[in-house]
């Protein structure tokens, strides 16, 4: 089995694959103060409740946008499997089929690389991947399998939290799809501004990136596949037809693919 740690700014997602089957996913909060032993103590009961035999874990792969947690999760990996993890980063990109421009090799987040690799490997087409997380990131990939560029904006929840934390009279509200853009009260006004506002942002930016990707790589805009991932994509997917595919586990699948590719090298 393949054990995966996808470490983000807000949450750490742990996943376990048996071959192609995603068996379990767990999510815990990211905390820079925790040690590797503390993280293992949090995760071990989850594995035991699922009756997972640690000896069945044959490989571990780690992706993080929080470099300070690499060391602690090397320890976690060794506790679970007795092995050091495959750490996704610039050092292994040359062994993988998806290429990164040399000027950007230390710039692109490993989560975005995993998204892009999985999307391109599946569809063998030019792609734009929208990853809805703490940041909302758009990664463009050429048909030939090279990252063409990235756009980053605050994530939906990040933008809402900033609004809530910096204004005295806006309460915490559910970020549901509003019945109208014409808010007659604070709740609908904020839902309109955030949810419908981000709908316009996503549609507008994806269309612009399609145009720029077509110009730069000589593909046709209609060839470009748009894939949404990340937990918060569900907030917009019911009200837009921008996405050709939705896969909340795209990053995890990309990490598994990397682990298999590296081990076969």
């Amino acid at each position: 089995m393949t054990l995966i740690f996808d470490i983000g700014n807000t949450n750490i997602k742990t996943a376990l694959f048996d071959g192609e089957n995603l068996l379990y996913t767990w999510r815990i909060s990211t905390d820079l103060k925790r040690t590797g032993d503390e993280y293992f103590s949090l995760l071990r009961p989850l594995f035991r409740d699922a009756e997972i035999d640690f000896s069945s874990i044959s490989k571990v792969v780690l992706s993080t946008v929080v470099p300070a947690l690499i060391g602690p999760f090397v320890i976690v990996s060794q506790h679970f499997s007795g092995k050091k993890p495959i750490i996704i980063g610039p050092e292994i990109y040359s062994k993988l089929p998806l290429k990164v421009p040399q000027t950007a090799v230390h710039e692109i987040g490993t989560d975005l690389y995993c998204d892009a690799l999985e999307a391109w490997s599946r569809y063998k087409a030019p792609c734009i991947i929208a990853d809805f997380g703490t940041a909302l990131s758009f990664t463009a990939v050429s048909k030939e399998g090279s990252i063409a560029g990235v756009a980053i904006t605050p994530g939906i929840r990040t933008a809402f939290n900033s609004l809530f934390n910096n204004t005295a009279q806006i309460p915490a509200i559910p970020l549901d799809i509003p019945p109208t853009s014409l808010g007659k009260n604070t709740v609908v006004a904020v839902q309109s501004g955030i949810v419908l506002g981000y709908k316009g942002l996503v549609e507008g930016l994806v269309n612009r990136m399609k145009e720029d990707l077509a110009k730069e790589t000589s593909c046709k805009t209609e060839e470009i596949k748009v894939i949404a991932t990340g937990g918060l994509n569900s907030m917009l997917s019911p009200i837009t037809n921008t996405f050709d595919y939705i896969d909340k586990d795209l990053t995890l699948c990309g990490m598994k693919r990397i682990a298999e590719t590296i081990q076969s090298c």
Side-chain angles (χ1 to χ4, degrees), residues 10 130-137 153-158 229-233:
T10 305
D131 191 331
F132 290 76
T134 304
L136 170 53
S137 304
T153 188
I156 297 174
R157 182 66 65 181
T158 303
T229 190
L232 291 176
N233 78 77

Side-chain angles (χ1 to χ4, degrees), residues 14-74:
T14 301
L16 195 66
F17 280 89
D18 184 8
E20 296 300 313
N21 298 319
L22 178 57
L23 299 180
Y24 300 100
T25 59
W26 301 277
R27 191 184 298 266
I28 60 175
S29 297
T30 304
D31 186 345
L32 288 170
K33 296 178 182 178
R34 288 186 182 133
T35 66
D37 291 336
E38 288 172 326
Y39 274 115
F40 178 64
S41 295
L42 283 173
L43 291 166
R44 178 172 51 186
L46 302 175
F47 280 63
R48 287 186 172 167
D49 289 346
E51 299 181 345
I52 296 165
D53 180 359
F54 293 176
S55 66
S56 65
I57 299 171
S58 59
K59 47 185 174 284
V60 185
V61 59
L62 166 64
S63 167
T64 179
V65 295
V66 187
L69 289 182
I70 291 176
F73 271 84
V74 169

Side-chain angles (χ1 to χ4, degrees), residues 3-203:
L3 175 60
I4 285 174
F5 297 113
D6 178 19
I7 303 173
N9 290 296
T10 305
N11 294 304
I12 297 167
K13 186 179 283 189
T14 301
L16 195 66
F17 280 89
D18 184 8
E20 296 300 313
N21 298 319
L22 178 57
L23 299 180
Y24 300 100
T25 59
W26 301 277
R27 191 184 298 266
I28 60 175
S29 297
T30 304
D31 186 345
L32 288 170
K33 296 178 182 178
R34 288 186 182 133
T35 66
D37 291 336
E38 288 172 326
Y39 274 115
F40 178 64
S41 295
L42 283 173
L43 291 166
R44 178 172 51 186
L46 302 175
F47 280 63
R48 287 186 172 167
D49 289 346
E51 299 181 345
I52 296 165
D53 180 359
F54 293 176
S55 66
S56 65
I57 299 171
S58 59
K59 47 185 174 284
V60 185
V61 59
L62 166 64
S63 167
T64 179
V65 295
V66 187
L69 289 182
I70 291 176
F73 271 84
V74 169
I75 293 170
V76 174
S77 300
Q78 290 172 324
H79 281 324
F80 273 115
S81 68
K83 301 177 178 67
K84 290 185 177 180
I86 297 167
I87 300 173
I88 299 172
E91 298 77 13
I92 68 169
Y93 290 162
S94 62
K95 300 176 182 179
L96 299 168
L98 183 73
K99 304 308 176 188
V100 184
Q102 197 59 39
T103 54
V105 73
H106 292 284
E107 297 286 334
I108 188 163
T110 56
D111 54 341
L112 304 188
Y113 183 90
C114 296
D115 288 344
L117 174 67
E118 183 63 21
W120 177 77
S121 298
R122 284 185 193 179
Y123 304 116
K124 296 299 183 184
C127 301
I128 295 171
I129 304 96
D131 191 331
F132 290 76
T134 304
L136 170 53
S137 304
F138 301 82
T139 306
V141 184
S142 72
K143 183 177 181 178
E144 293 72 30
S146 178
I147 292 179
V150 176
I152 301 173
T153 188
I156 297 174
R157 182 66 65 181
T158 303
F160 171 72
N161 287 342
S162 177
L163 183 65
F164 171 67
N165 291 329
N166 290 285
T167 53
Q169 291 187 303
I170 292 182
I173 63 170
L175 279 179
D176 298 329
I177 299 168
T180 174
S181 64
L182 306 175
K184 302 295 193 296
N185 56 56
T186 302
V187 170
V188 177
V190 172
Q191 290 173 339
S192 173
I194 297 290
V195 179
L196 299 185
Y198 265 81
K199 174 181 182 290
L201 183 154
V202 168
E203 292 174 346

